Amino acid sequence: MEKLHSIFSIYEHLYTGQEEYYHNFNHARWTVIRGCEVLDSIGASKKMKRIYSHAMSAHDGGHSNGIFEDDKDNVKKALEGFDIYCPFHKNSNSFKMAKTIILATTVPYSNFPTVEEMTYYSDVEEEYLLDLQILIEVARDVDHLGIIGIRDELLRERALIGLMKELLQKTPKEVLLKSVEKGTHDFFNSINFYTDYAKDWATDNLACMREWQLGFSQKAVELASK
C-alpha cells in the first residue's frame, strides 16, 4: 500500500480555504487514519485500505462549509476533485468502489440509499461487493465519529468550533445558541453505527461524549462567532 502521506498529498489542495471550518483537511486525514485502524482490526487487505484511503482523503474536498443547503452539492464537489486526481483507472473496480464510498458519506444517511442499495447499484463486479459494503460501513461510522471520536480534547474542541463556524454561515448566533442543545440531542439520537468497532466504542464513550458536547457547545458558538 502507498504511504498515507503520499495519498494525502494528492488531495490536500482540494481543501484550500476550509482550514478554520470543521470539514477541513485535518478531518479528512483523521477519517483515513481512524478508518484504517478499524480496517486493521478486521484484517482488511492492503487493497481495501488503499481504496478507502483515496476515497476518504477526497471525500470533503471543496466543501462549502455550511453554504450549500444540500450535502449532495458538497459531495458533488468532492467527486469532481476525486475524478481529476485519483490515480485509479476510471473503469477499474477500485475507482468505482472509491467513488461509491464518497457518495455514501452524503448526510443525513437516512435520506439516501442504504448501504446494501449503494453496494448493489455501484457497477462494481460481484466478487468485490462484500468488500465495498464493509468499506462503506467503515466510512459512514468513522465520518460520524468525526468530532466525538477525536481522542485529544483540545483537538475535539477545535473541531466543534469549526462546526459551529459552518452553522453560523446560515444561522444567526442567537438562534444557534437557543437550538444547539436540541440539535446535539437530535444528532446523538440519530446515530446508528454499522461496525462492531464503532458499536464497542459507543458502549464505552457515547454517553460521556454527549455530555461533553452539550457542555462545550455554547462556548463553541461564542468562540466561533469571534
Side-chain angles (χ1 to χ4, degrees):
M1 179 178 162
E2 300 156 89
K3 297 292 186 182
L4 285 182
H5 66 79
S6 67
I7 295 176
F8 295 148
S9 66
I10 297 171
Y11 305 101
E12 184 172 6
H13 67 283
L14 298 177
Y15 293 81
T16 301
Q18 298 172 218
E19 293 82 3
E20 294 186 4
Y21 298 96
Y22 169 57
H23 291 96
N24 58 25
F25 188 62
N26 286 333
H27 164 70
R29 288 178 71 256
W30 185 89
T31 62
V32 173
I33 293 167
R34 192 63 170 269
C36 284
E37 288 182 17
V38 182
L39 291 169
D40 281 335
S41 76
I42 61 174
S45 68
K46 290 182 179 179
K47 181 176 181 179
M48 287 177 68
K49 289 189 286 185
R50 182 174 184 240
I51 292 167
Y52 174 87
S53 296
H54 278 276
M56 296 306 284
S57 290
H59 86 281
D60 277 329
H63 199 283
S64 71
N65 303 121
I67 295 175
F68 290 157
E69 293 289 340
D70 195 320
D71 194 44
K72 287 189 293 186
D73 294 320
N74 291 315
V75 172
K76 181 180 177 181
K77 290 290 293 183
L79 286 170
E80 288 171 358
F82 178 79
D83 284 346
I84 294 170
Y85 296 105
C86 178
F88 299 148
H89 189 280
K90 297 296 189 287
N91 292 321
S92 68
N93 284 294
S94 294
F95 184 82
K96 294 173 184 177
M97 290 169 74
K99 283 193 72 170
T100 305
I101 293 165
I102 295 172
L103 282 167
T105 64
T106 312
V107 294
Y109 302 151
S110 58
N111 289 357
F112 299 97
T114 65
V115 173
E116 292 77 13
E117 289 170 329
M118 296 207 75
T119 302
Y120 182 80
Y121 292 109
S122 64
D123 195 31
V124 170
E125 292 178 18
E126 186 174 358
E127 64 183 291
Y128 299 105
L129 292 182
L130 180 57
D131 286 352
L132 176 58
Q133 180 170 335
I134 291 169
L135 292 174
I136 291 172
E137 290 175 349
V138 171
R140 283 187 164 185
D141 278 1
V142 173
D143 214 16
H144 253 160
L145 286 174
I147 293 177
I148 55 177
I150 297 173
R151 296 177 178 113
D152 182 282
E153 186 168 0
L154 289 178
L155 295 178
R156 194 162 68 240
E157 288 178 355
R158 190 180 305 169
L160 189 57
I161 292 167
L163 176 62
M164 297 308 174
K165 282 182 179 289
E166 294 186 11
L167 296 176
L168 285 167
Q169 297 264 43
K170 292 184 295 188
T171 307
K173 176 182 173 182
E174 296 74 17
V175 174
L176 186 57
L177 285 169
K178 291 178 180 178
S179 64
V180 71
E181 181 175 347
K182 180 180 183 302
T184 299
H185 282 303
D186 287 347
F187 167 72
F188 278 89
N189 291 339
S190 72
I191 293 176
N192 178 31
F193 289 123
Y194 300 92
T195 64
D196 289 340
Y197 180 102
K199 290 174 182 177
D200 290 344
W201 178 92
T203 298
D204 295 334
N205 297 284
L206 198 60
C208 64
M209 282 298 100
R210 183 193 293 253
E211 291 306 311
W212 171 83
Q213 189 159 320
L214 286 168
F216 186 69
S217 286
Q218 294 221 354
K219 183 177 180 180
V221 174
E222 295 290 352
L223 292 170
S225 66
K226 292 182 179 178

